[in-house]
Amino acid sequence: MVLACAGARAVRGAARAAIPCLWRGRHFSSGKEPGENHPVTPMLQHLVYKIKSTGPITVAEYMKEVLTNPAKGYYVHRDMLGEKGDFITSPEISQIFGELLGIWFISEWMATGKSAAFQLVELGPGRGTLAGDILRVFSQLGSVLKNCDISIHLVEVSQKLSEIQALTLTEEKVPLERNDGSPVYMRGVTKSGIPISWYRDLQDVPKEYSFYVAHEFFDVLPVHKFQKTPHGWREVLIDVDPQVSDKLRFVLAPCATPAEAFIQHDETRDHVEVCPEAGVIIQELSQRIALTGGAALIADYGHDGTKTDTFRGFCGHKLHDVLIAPGTADLTADVDFSYLRRMARGTVASLGPVKQHTFLKNMGIDVRLKVLLSKSAEPALRQQLLQGYDMLMNPKKMGERFNFFALLPHQRLQGPSQERNANQSKPSPAPVAGFSELAWQ
Ligand SMILES: C[S@@+](CC[C@H](N)C(=O)[O-])C[C@H]1O[C@@H](n2cnc3c(N)ncnc32)[C@H](O)[C@@H]1O
């Protein structure tokens, strides 16, 4: 409740975007949006050339090229977030979201023995808004974190967004060090004096005691799509339409393809999406957490191994045909949390997925909202706080579509290992905040 009592200067709602009605968690079936024209983008030309040279490509290859191609990728050179962009995310909607995640990390840090140092590592930090809100909580709770050596590590492939993150988090009070050829391509110091570094790949982040956060990151990782046929699973590929020049279309692979190995033997659905890259990242996070301690908090829209066709596009806050004007629209697919859980199993414990409204309620969102409302007299700000709350919590909006999922060392759920005689029962571990009600000690 320490944060709940923070003062009026903590109300930052005015800096948030007005809230459009569309968020990326919304679902629609891909490739069927009517009435769109077909502009020939540089990315489309590149893909048509590639497919004509070497044959149809997988949906995963298409997503990777369209989103993160270093020259023309959608994420690389633009700011797509917010009111004027293509979509809105929870941290951009309300400051409370990042504040409660900041509390989660402090709560885990306390429950696991208040280590002398930790790294906060964010995967896909967007505009740096979430990290900024978490860092503000760390500053407000400076008396709790005093003597703890904190550093910030951002994993980001977008040149444009990394510049925006640097501006948000450091205000460039200390000049940034840049080295494009190095795995640490930028370094600086945050507004509150914490060292901050940028990487393109999680592998390059130092393997130290860390808290990891990934919000709307796993849904942009490339998925392979499969369809069940009388001849077995066949992968969905992307080809050039022979009838219309410069138009792409979906086709089925004529025979089995290697990514089929990622489909479960007892799979009962007719269509599935698999995301091997998500598996690789979860295994890397799990190994790190098992080795050094810490935790990972993953928040995204998704399902528990039940959905089929979730690949979709967004442009200007509208749903967009994934095959039209590639490079100008965001592409995404729901995260399969059952797959993430399988990838972590045996190395670390996992919790969730739990619905966003449950997680945030358990974290004390109602108390925090009340305090912010009591400190803000401006009607526009109060309205924004209330609208933001509704967007995050309403089950028909983001409250039920978004989920929280955590990776923790096995010891964290087993309780402290202490010498006990036969009569003593095992001390029970502190509950994990968000996944049960927050017990602030
Ligand atoms: C949908 S945005 C989410 C941004 C932010 N987390 C938020 O919630 O506002 C996805 C983020 O992941 C980054 N990204 C996409 N693919 C990536 C990859 N393969 N490695 C690292 N970052 C990536 C994008 O540049 C962007 O910052």
Side-chain angles (χ1 to χ4, degrees):
M1 294 305 100
V2 184
L3 178 84
C5 302
R9 69 193 156 78
V11 183
R12 294 175 53 87
R16 305 287 142 157
I19 305 168
C21 63
L22 197 94
W23 64 96
R24 290 164 82 246
R26 277 209 177 160
H27 175 68
F28 92 128
S29 197
S30 57
K32 298 176 191 88
E33 286 297 284
E36 301 200 39
N37 59 18
H38 296 221
V40 181
T41 57
M43 176 57 74
L44 178 60
Q45 283 174 323
H46 163 71
L47 290 167
V48 167
Y49 180 74
K50 187 181 169 87
I51 293 169
K52 282 184 174 165
S53 317
T54 56
I57 57 174
T58 63
V59 171
E61 199 175 348
Y62 179 77
M63 261 181 107
K64 199 177 177 82
E65 279 292 314
V66 170
L67 296 182
T68 56
N69 176 298
K72 307 180 188 83
Y74 170 78
Y75 274 111
V76 179
H77 298 295
R78 71 177 74 203
D79 175 14
M80 68 297 293
L81 284 137
E83 217 181 330
K84 296 197 183 104
D86 293 325
F87 55 84
I88 186 94
T89 61
S90 296
E92 301 293 333
I93 288 172
S94 172
Q95 68 177 86
I96 305 179
F97 186 83
E99 289 171 348
L100 296 179
L101 267 55
I103 295 285
W104 193 86
F105 291 114
I106 297 178
S107 154
E108 275 310 295
W109 172 77
M110 291 172 77
T112 50
K114 302 186 182 174
S115 62
F118 70 80
Q119 305 186 140
L120 177 72
V121 183
E122 185 174 359
L123 308 180
R127 281 182 175 166
T129 309
L130 175 59
D133 290 336
I134 293 175
L135 286 178
R136 198 174 55 259
V137 170
F138 287 1
S139 293
Q140 283 165 357
L141 297 185
S143 59
V144 179
L145 286 167
K146 69 172 183 287
N147 305 328
C148 181
D149 212 351
I150 301 174
S151 56
I152 310 298
H153 304 261
L154 303 182
V155 180
E156 177 56 82
V157 286
S158 166
Q159 196 185 326
K160 174 79 180 177
L161 289 178
S162 63
E163 293 297 333
I164 296 173
Q165 292 150 18
L167 208 58
T168 308
L169 298 170
T170 73
E171 287 175 355
E172 303 201 17
K173 285 187 171 151
V174 177
L176 293 160
E177 271 175 53
R178 292 163 207 272
N179 185 350
D180 244 11
S182 160
V184 194
Y185 65 87
M186 205 157 68
R187 279 180 209 274
V189 178
T190 68
K191 288 181 268 190
S192 50
I194 297 176
I196 179 164
S197 311
W198 279 262
Y199 314 76
R200 289 185 190 86
D201 198 321
L202 173 63
Q203 300 268 5
D204 296 318
V205 175
K207 287 191 168 69
E208 306 284 349
Y209 187 96
S210 300
F211 292 110
Y212 300 89
V213 59
H215 180 258
E216 291 210 30
F217 168 76
F218 279 90
D219 67 88
V220 300
L221 300 179
V223 294
H224 292 265
K225 285 178 76 70
F226 286 89
Q227 186 176 319
K228 203 177 258 172
T229 74
H231 314 289
W233 288 104
R234 289 290 178 267
E235 185 157 8
V236 176
L237 302 177
I238 292 169
D239 198 1
V240 176
D241 191 330
Q243 316 286 338
V244 189
S245 69
D246 293 325
K247 186 167 182 283
L248 300 173
R249 61 168 189 165
F250 289 115
V251 293
L252 277 188
C255 51
T257 50
E260 190 187 322
F262 293 96
I263 302 176
Q264 294 277 94
H265 293 301
D266 55 357
E267 182 57 66
T268 53
R269 290 168 287 174
D270 288 342
H271 291 80
V272 288
E273 294 166 343
V274 293
C275 185
E277 210 170 302
V280 170
I281 293 175
I282 288 292
Q283 283 175 341
E284 170 75 20
L285 290 173
S286 303
Q287 280 157 14
R288 283 167 172 256
I289 291 167
L291 186 73
T292 64
L297 188 61
I298 294 162
D300 225 310
Y301 40 87
H303 57 92
D304 224 7
T306 51
K307 286 203 177 162
T308 53
D309 177 20
T310 74
F311 180 41
R312 60 200 183 278
F314 288 94
C315 183
H317 297 275
K318 288 199 182 113
L319 295 164
H320 178 92
D321 188 313
V322 289
L323 297 185
I324 287 177
T328 63
D330 181 35
L331 301 180
T332 172
D334 278 18
V335 174
D336 179 350
F337 287 100
S338 70
Y339 176 64
L340 304 194
R341 197 164 44 238
R342 279 202 304 280
M343 291 299 106
R345 192 171 294 154
T347 313
V348 288
S350 65
L351 283 180
V354 298
K355 301 286 176 212
Q356 174 157 299
H357 67 83
T358 305
F359 182 89
L360 296 179
K361 193 136 224 127
N362 285 342
M363 290 301 302
I365 189 169
D366 293 325
V367 181
R368 182 60 180 153
L369 176 71
K370 228 183 234 173
V371 171
L372 289 178
L373 286 173
S374 72
K375 306 280 181 193
S376 48
E378 224 183 284
L381 195 51
R382 292 174 62 81
Q383 196 194 357
Q384 201 172 33
L385 285 168
L386 289 166
Q387 278 180 349
Y389 175 93
D390 179 58
M391 191 70 161
L392 297 184
M393 295 293 285
N394 190 328
K396 294 198 178 111
K397 297 181 179 172
M398 295 166 116
E400 289 229 320
R401 287 282 296 149
F402 283 75
N403 300 275
F404 279 78
F405 178 78
L407 303 176
L408 302 151
H410 283 299
Q411 313 84 281
R412 172 66 181 91
L413 301 185
Q414 285 158 1
S417 60
Q418 289 164 0
E419 295 269 320
R420 289 181 302 275
N421 64 40
N423 300 331
Q424 281 178 311
S425 63
K426 195 173 175 178
S428 55
V432 177
F435 296 87
S436 52
E437 248 176 84
L438 177 64
W440 191 258
Q441 291 145 6

